[in-house]
């Protein structure tokens, strides 16, 4: 028997996507209304699951006609509150946009739907003996559309750059319901600025991305990793010039002792190096078409560390991938994803340590060393959340860093964006937003500070 849908917008959406794909009941909406951290939540007017680009266009048009705001949601693994409703928006989930084209072996590119997970994309690439360059712990759930919209980074940025460097073009639906398609994948084109470039990192505020044309990279079958313990964080930073000279360098990850400890405790394993033996641990990964073991061993030979081959390398990656999960299992932290010029990391770490000591909070820091990108997690800051955020982000900006290296601004950091970018940049971004979305229906409250 057909459900009675009393909301005229929901009823219009049912006409577009079918009754099974418009979720109005509170219990079925619930998982779409809370973020991965369990920190951000709000009520959705309804959740809609379009299955094609044309359905997305019709959904956006209907929302526009009803003056209803849209929060586009991919895997909902974002950590800054941008993928869940604040109150009354329509959640448009991309879960059914799972187009997975065959790899274009001539161009080393592939076209996939926005709702395809990073893991499924990697699998598709590997069927053609290629690989997708961007990788991180949430790969099984995070989607291509989410990665595009947050300009996701992860562990291989040192070699291949962020998501921005992988995007050859996008298909997207604008706020008026028009479809813009830029999936040709031409590596050279100078016919004016590209809308696709602008949409990367726009956090669902400029368009609903429905598909992406992505660059693929070689799939390296030979790998070697090492975990190195350093007496100071400055010593860890000092490893970078030598590591960068390795042609097979694929990742340089930083684990401060507490991060190594919580991840290993969560996995129920003994840390590969005793936690108390170093002030900072560096996880180095090399990948190549030949065995890179000797190359890596030559650089780490004189350092306190362990080489990790085969299953031990997998174990190191499991540890690295589980830090965020392990922290989430302990509690909801104050989480700040920032980057500073890499030589200033020790200064930032000292500040975080002193703030944690002052508040009796637990600080767990890890990240991507080569980019000076650390994830600062503070557990037990009590009511000092806003004050601590202010102190750390202000210091990061003073150091010439950024308040978001890979997670985005979401709703968590809008108040600091103008200080980072300056008023003229914010005015220009606002003008772009107004031109593309005059009603302000795409993810309001995210990215740009309220006027
Ligand atoms: C355990 C864990 C580890 C993580 N590690 C990393 C890491 O190393 N590097 C990193 O970069 N991130 C990391 N993240 C954060 C997160 O996985 C990324 O931000 C990811 O890109 C989000 O993808 P998603 O599909 O889950 O997007 P969502 O969380 O659903 O959405 C994120 C933002 O993108 C927008 N959006 C999503 N899809 C679309 C679309 N099709 N069109 C328009 N807008 C859209 C949303 O509105 C929202 O603003 C981690 C998260 C977890 C939980």
């Amino acid at each position: 028997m057909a459900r009675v849908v009393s909301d005229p917008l929901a009823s219009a959406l049912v006409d577009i996507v079918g009754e099974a794909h418009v979720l109005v009941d509170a219990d079925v909406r619930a998982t779409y209304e809370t973020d991965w951290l369990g920190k951000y939540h709000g009520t959705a007017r309804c959740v809609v699951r379009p299955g094609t680009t044309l359905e997305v266009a019709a959904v956006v048009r209907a929302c526009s006609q009803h003056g209803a705001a849209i929060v586009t949601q991919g895997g909902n693994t974002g950590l800054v509150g941008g993928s869940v409703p604040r109150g009354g928006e329509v959640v448009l989930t991309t879960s059914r946009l799972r187009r997975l084209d065959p790899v274009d072996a001539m161009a080393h590119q592939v076209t996939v739907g926005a709702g395809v997970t990073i893991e499924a994309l990697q699998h598709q690439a590997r069927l053609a003996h290629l690989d997708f360059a961007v990788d991180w712990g949430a790969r099984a759930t995070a989607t291509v559309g989410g990665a595009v919209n947050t300009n996701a980074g992860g562990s291989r940025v040192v070699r291949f750059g962020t998501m921005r460097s992988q995007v050859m073009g996008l298909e997207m639906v604008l706020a008026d319901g028009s479809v813009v398609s830029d999936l040709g994948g031409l590596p050279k084109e100078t016919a004016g600025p590209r809308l696709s470039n602008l949409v990367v990192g726009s956090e669902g505020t400029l368009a609903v991305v429905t598909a992406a044309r992505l660059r693929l990279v070689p799939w390296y079958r030979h790998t070697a990793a090492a975990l190195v313990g350093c007496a100071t964080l400055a010593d860890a930073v000092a490893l970078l010039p030598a590591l960068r000279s390795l042609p097979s360098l694929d990742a340089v990850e930083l684990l401060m002792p507490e991060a190594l400890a919580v991840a290993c405790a969560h996995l129920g394993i003994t840390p590969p190096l005793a936690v108390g033996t170093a002030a900072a641990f560096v996880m180095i990964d090399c990948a190549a078409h030949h065995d890179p073991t000797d190359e890596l061993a030559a650089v780490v030979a004189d350092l306190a560390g362990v080489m990790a081959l085969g299953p031990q390398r997998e174990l190191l990656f499991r540890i690295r991938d589980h830090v965020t999960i392990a922290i989430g299992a302990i509690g909801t932290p104050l989480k700040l994803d920032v980057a500073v010029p890499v030589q200033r990391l020790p200064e930032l770490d000292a500040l975080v340590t002193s703030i944690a000591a002052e508040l009796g909070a637990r600080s767990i820091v890890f990240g991507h060393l080569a980019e000076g990108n650390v994830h600062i997690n503070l557990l037990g800051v009590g009511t000092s959340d806003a004050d601590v955020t202010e102190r750390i982000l202000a210091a990061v900006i003073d150091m010439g860093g950024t308040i978001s290296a890979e997670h985005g601004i979401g709703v968590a950091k809008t108040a600091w964006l103008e200080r980072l970018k300056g008023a003229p940049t914010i005015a220009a971004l606002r003008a772009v937003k107004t031109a593309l979305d005059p009603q302000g229906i795409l993810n309001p409250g995210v990215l740009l500070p309220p006027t």
Side-chain angles (χ1 to χ4, degrees):
M1 200 178 74
R3 272 178 305 156
V4 178
V5 178
S6 54
D7 178 357
L9 172 57
S11 162
L13 298 179
V14 166
D15 291 344
I16 297 165
V17 298
E19 194 174 334
H21 300 298
V22 181
L23 315 180
V24 287
D25 296 334
D27 52 340
V28 283
R29 288 193 329 253
T31 55
Y32 300 88
E33 294 179 330
T34 299
D35 78 322
W36 188 89
L37 290 168
K39 184 168 181 170
Y40 301 97
H41 27 79
T43 306
R45 181 161 172 179
C46 64
V47 177
V48 59
R49 300 191 295 210
T52 64
T53 301
L54 289 180
E55 284 185 4
V56 173
V59 163
V60 172
R61 226 172 288 124
C63 289
S64 165
Q65 279 157 9
H66 285 79
I70 299 170
V71 176
T72 305
Q73 187 176 98
N76 201 15
T77 65
L79 299 171
V80 286
S83 56
V84 287
R86 270 68 68 193
E89 298 91 340
V90 171
V91 171
L92 187 163
T93 166
T94 59
S95 59
R96 292 176 66 227
L97 301 175
R98 293 278 171 97
R99 166 181 179 184
L100 207 46
D101 285 12
V103 165
D104 179 345
M106 208 67 84
H108 280 197
Q109 294 175 6
V110 68
T111 299
V112 298
V116 167
T117 64
I118 299 302
E119 192 170 74
L121 165 60
Q122 287 167 342
H123 179 71
Q124 183 75 350
R126 287 173 188 178
L127 290 177
H129 309 287
L130 292 167
D131 204 358
F132 184 63
V134 180
D135 186 39
W136 71 97
R139 66 184 73 78
T141 315
T143 63
V144 166
V148 166
N149 274 275
T150 55
N151 187 23
S155 60
R156 305 181 81 194
V157 173
V158 66
R159 189 174 208 167
F160 296 114
T162 64
M163 198 66 192
R164 193 183 299 284
S165 308
Q166 324 308 323
V167 174
M168 301 300 300
L170 299 174
E171 178 190 77
M172 55 199 145
V173 173
L174 302 182
D176 63 358
S178 54
V179 178
V180 173
S181 185
D182 178 21
L183 299 176
L186 291 178
K188 295 184 79 174
E189 198 205 22
T190 53
R194 296 184 77 173
L195 206 47
S196 295
N197 294 356
L198 196 63
V199 166
V200 176
S202 66
E203 301 187 46
T205 63
L206 296 184
V208 179
V209 172
T210 48
R213 178 84 175 174
L214 300 167
R215 179 171 86 101
L216 299 176
V217 300
W219 182 18
Y220 299 116
R221 318 294 177 90
H222 297 275
T223 53
L227 184 69
V228 169
C230 301
T232 65
L233 180 51
D235 289 345
V237 171
L239 294 175
L240 284 172
L243 292 178
R244 282 189 192 281
S245 70
L246 290 171
S248 58
L249 185 69
D250 215 77
V252 190
E253 299 288 280
L254 173 71
L255 294 169
M256 297 304 273
E258 186 76 346
L260 181 63
V262 293
C264 290
H266 184 79
L267 291 168
I269 57 170
T270 308
L273 291 176
V275 169
T277 56
F281 294 93
V282 182
M283 191 186 128
I284 307 152
D285 193 41
C286 288
H289 290 309
H290 60 271
D291 184 355
T293 307
D294 291 346
E295 235 176 63
L296 177 58
V299 174
V300 301
D302 298 330
L303 304 168
V306 285
M307 287 292 292
L309 309 172
Q312 299 124 300
R313 174 183 175 272
E314 302 312 315
L315 183 67
L316 281 194
F317 268 93
R318 270 187 78 211
I319 294 170
R320 167 65 187 81
D321 283 353
H322 275 80
V323 182
T324 301
I325 296 163
I327 296 168
I330 300 170
T332 304
L334 167 58
K335 191 179 269 299
L336 296 171
D337 155 51
V338 297
V340 291
V342 71
Q343 65 278 9
R344 301 197 73 167
L345 271 180
E347 196 181 329
L348 176 61
D349 184 56
L351 173 69
V352 172
T353 305
S354 77
I355 290 174
E358 196 183 297
L359 297 173
R362 186 171 177 191
S363 135
I364 305 171
V365 176
F366 67 100
H368 312 289
L369 184 66
E371 292 79 47
N373 172 201
V374 284
H375 303 308
I376 299 166
N377 294 269
L378 289 164
L379 287 157
V381 294
T383 54
S384 306
D385 212 281
D387 176 51
V388 172
T389 304
E390 166 64 30
R391 285 168 70 184
I392 293 176
L393 296 189
V396 163
I397 293 171
D398 279 352
M399 288 180 205
T402 179
I403 60 171
S404 170
E406 56 179 17
H407 292 168
I409 298 298
V411 294
K413 294 180 182 168
T414 52
W416 288 271
L417 192 65
E418 183 160 339
R419 247 192 284 174
L420 177 75
K421 297 271 189 191
T425 302
I426 296 298
L429 290 177
R430 244 188 239 295
V432 170
K433 167 77 177 165
T434 308
L436 288 178
D437 179 15
Q439 282 177 284
I441 61 167
L442 297 179
N443 227 357
V446 166
L447 185 56
L448 286 171
T451 43

